[in-house]
Amino acid sequence: MRSRQIAVLALAGVLALSACSPAEPAAPPPPPLHPAPGAGSAGDPYFPEDGNGGYDALDYHVDVSYDPPSGRLDGDTTVSAKATQDLSRFDLDLRGLDVSGVEIDGKPAKYSREKNKLVVTPAEPLRSGSTFRTRVRYSGVPAKTPHDGGSENGWARSADGGAYLVGEPHSASFWYPVNETPRDKATFTLTAHVPAGWTVLSNGRDQGSSAKDGKTTTTWTDPNPIASYLTTIAIDKFTVQRSTLPDGTPIISGYAPGAEPREATGDRLPEVISFLESKFGKYPQSAAGGIYLDENIHFSLETQTRPTYAKWAEILTLVHENAHQWFGDSVSLNSWADICLNECFASYAQWMWGEREGQNLDDRYRAAVEITRGSTDFWGQKLVDMGPEHLFEGAYDKGILAMHALRRELGEPGFERVLHEWVGQHRNGNATWADFEKLVSKVAGRDLSGFLNDWFHGTKLPSDADLYPGGLRP
């Protein structure tokens, strides 16, 4: 009996020890915060006031109501972002419009305006690595916001009372708060409310429309990351045409009043995309189409999935702007000094279309060289790091010759490999001119820095060997 009691007591002791054993160690406390303001610039020296630091934008949900007679816009935009440092405050780019309230994760935040910046101070610092949602309510008449001209069109009202927005490098900040730099691509959704009888076109896929109380609400979503200057909105009494690419990708094109005669050009989009796929690889976007304005603006723009066309646009413009869906949209530049990554490729796509139509590009190249041989203005155009004042110059003429010379330097298999690998490696991301030069030399199997410097960095007629590579010599 005693031995049994001892055994029971011993077992009870073991159980007591087990019950009192230490619990799992508590998680260590988070490291102390060291909050600081996010940078007021993305760091591109060409546009040092553009963009912001301290966070990575992940998604924009832009909700706007627009009244065509008055031109008034009421906006309610939510920016989802991830902090890349401990943030005491951060900036968003926003031009002109009046802000009535800012919230972060549902809590009111302080805000102020400094030039084209909306400065936001959260109620509590944001920890590095945390995801947060910033909601901004705002209103105004965006067409009254000053813009710089050139390729910055700002918010514009069409002749029949509608509105459209195209601009490069600035457009998004005219109508919603944004980190306005190509370095920070994000997904994008627009929900727009307009009076009955008006139609809204934007990027990506149409998520449907509804009508209530004399207003039409339409939602568009692009699931692919998009650089802010490639987002758009167009409001008009569009004639809308719908179809699909052979793989089912939706095509939606809208023709403003007066632009209907260009439907025959727009109908050739599947043919254009099929041709570009044969050169660059599979179409990289979630949707396709076009916004055809009856406006005499001096440029069209490669707004993602759905380029916006001026009234003079024709088939070569379709080729150019849709080539950008690979070069510039899917693969975006990291710095504006590398604009040739966008424009040289898209411009050369027009020559390749001409080749498809039977043109001899070698003859065309030689003729262009002879015509321009004595022009210091033509050959003095730098194609890389040309300076912000020359951003949209040489890529459209000298850039075409440079791309054809590169094609002959690499040979057909090498050039085709460069095109496919470039868009494959950097799809939905950003890349630099230095990345491109590395790829070219890798594919060539030799150092092509001399050739590339002669053509893309130089300011005079290239050396004879670089001017006539691969059998181009007359």
Side-chain angles (χ1 to χ4, degrees):
M1 184 71 176
R2 179 178 172 81
S3 61
R4 183 179 177 190
Q5 288 175 329
I6 291 172
V8 169
L9 289 172
L11 177 60
V14 169
L15 292 174
L17 285 172
S18 297
C20 297
S21 62
E24 290 293 323
L33 282 168
H34 299 286
S41 170
D44 190 327
Y46 277 30
F47 298 98
E49 296 182 359
D50 288 6
N52 309 284
Y55 63 91
D56 173 22
L58 305 174
D59 177 75
Y60 295 95
H61 194 132
V62 181
D63 191 305
V64 296
S65 297
Y66 185 69
D67 178 56
S70 66
R72 178 181 172 86
L73 179 84
D74 291 285
D76 187 347
T77 288
T78 297
V79 184
S80 299
K82 182 177 182 178
T84 56
Q85 65 173 72
D86 294 341
L87 282 171
S88 60
R89 53 167 255 194
F90 61 92
D91 298 353
L92 292 163
D93 298 296
L94 184 65
R95 298 168 185 262
L97 300 166
D98 298 320
V99 175
S100 58
V102 179
E103 297 175 1
I104 297 178
D105 294 332
K107 298 179 180 179
K110 295 180 180 179
Y111 62 92
S112 61
R113 303 297 293 273
E114 296 178 7
K115 294 184 178 180
N116 294 324
K117 300 290 184 179
L118 173 64
V119 181
V120 179
T121 303
E124 299 175 355
L126 301 170
R127 184 175 293 277
S128 179
S130 65
T131 300
F132 61 98
R133 290 160 56 90
T134 304
R135 182 181 182 184
V136 183
R137 296 182 179 91
Y138 53 97
S139 61
V141 180
K144 292 183 178 179
T145 302
H147 59 86
D148 294 337
S151 295
E152 182 178 294
N153 202 62
W155 183 284
R157 301 183 70 176
S158 54
D160 61 355
Y164 61 95
L165 188 130
V166 287
E168 183 181 6
H170 306 124
S171 64
S173 59
F174 285 95
W175 64 297
Y176 66 92
V178 61
N179 194 17
E180 194 157 47
T181 170
R183 298 181 179 189
D184 195 5
K185 298 167 71 168
T187 54
F188 176 80
T189 295
L190 168 67
T191 298
H193 317 271
V194 293
W198 295 88
T199 299
V200 175
L201 298 176
S202 187
N203 309 90
R205 297 194 172 207
D206 181 2
Q207 302 299 306
S209 300
S210 61
K212 183 179 180 182
D213 299 330
K215 286 195 172 184
T216 300
T217 297
T218 306
T219 297
W220 296 87
T221 296
D222 194 342
N224 291 335
I226 180 170
S228 60
Y229 76 97
L230 299 171
T231 64
T232 194
I233 183 172
I235 303 162
D236 217 316
K237 297 179 179 180
F238 289 105
T239 298
V240 177
Q241 302 287 1
R242 299 172 184 265
S243 59
T244 63
L245 295 175
D247 65 358
T249 299
I251 301 174
I252 302 177
S253 295
Y255 300 85
E260 296 90 349
R262 283 182 291 142
E263 289 183 29
T265 300
D267 288 345
R268 297 185 68 182
L269 180 60
E271 176 190 356
V272 168
I273 289 179
S274 176
F275 168 74
L276 295 173
E277 285 185 320
S278 73
K279 301 298 181 182
F280 307 148
K282 184 174 173 55
Y283 181 67
Q285 303 298 347
S286 65
I291 300 170
Y292 295 84
L293 304 175
D294 192 40
E295 305 296 322
N296 198 26
I297 52 178
H298 70 276
F299 66 98
S300 297
L301 188 66
E302 62 271 21
T303 42
Q304 189 159 304
T305 70
R306 196 158 287 107
T308 304
Y309 297 105
K311 68 184 302 179
W312 46 261
E314 35 71 63
I315 188 65
L316 286 180
T317 313
L318 253 69
V319 172
H320 182 106
E321 304 304 342
N322 282 281
H324 275 307
Q325 302 307 309
W326 285 262
F327 298 95
D329 291 24
S330 181
V331 184
S332 299
L333 50 75
N334 194 63
S335 299
W336 286 102
D338 295 345
I339 191 69
C340 188
L341 293 174
N342 297 7
E343 301 300 342
C344 292
F345 285 103
S347 298
Y348 189 64
Q350 297 174 243
W351 266 38
M352 290 193 288
W353 180 267
E355 185 176 38
R356 172 185 181 271
E357 301 285 286
Q359 294 179 15
N360 185 309
L361 295 192
D362 288 351
D363 288 346
R364 189 173 180 181
Y365 173 92
R366 295 183 194 105
V369 168
E370 288 309 306
I371 291 170
T372 61
R373 181 178 291 275
S375 172
T376 55
D377 288 341
F378 182 90
W379 295 104
Q381 301 176 107
K382 291 182 66 176
L383 297 176
V384 176
D385 199 13
M386 67 296 293
E389 68 278 9
H390 302 295
L391 193 60
F392 298 105
E393 294 182 3
Y396 303 98
D397 42 37
K398 181 183 173 183
I400 296 175
L401 300 187
M403 294 303 297
H404 191 66
L406 178 62
R407 179 179 176 182
R408 291 295 176 253
E409 178 72 25
L410 292 172
E412 286 300 307
F415 188 67
E416 181 179 348
R417 181 182 164 192
V418 164
L419 296 178
H420 283 75
E421 288 194 17
W422 180 252
V423 297
Q425 289 175 5
H426 303 289
R427 179 171 178 161
N428 291 330
N430 298 76
T432 68
W433 184 258
D435 295 330
F436 181 71
E437 291 197 351
K438 288 177 184 176
L439 174 61
V440 167
S441 289
K442 183 188 82 170
V443 170
R446 61 189 188 279
D447 182 7
L448 285 187
S449 57
F451 175 91
L452 295 167
N453 284 333
D454 222 3
W455 268 105
F456 294 94
H457 300 273
T459 56
K460 59 183 180 180
L461 188 73
S463 68
D464 204 54
D466 292 338
L467 191 61
Y468 296 113
L472 269 176
R473 186 174 301 280

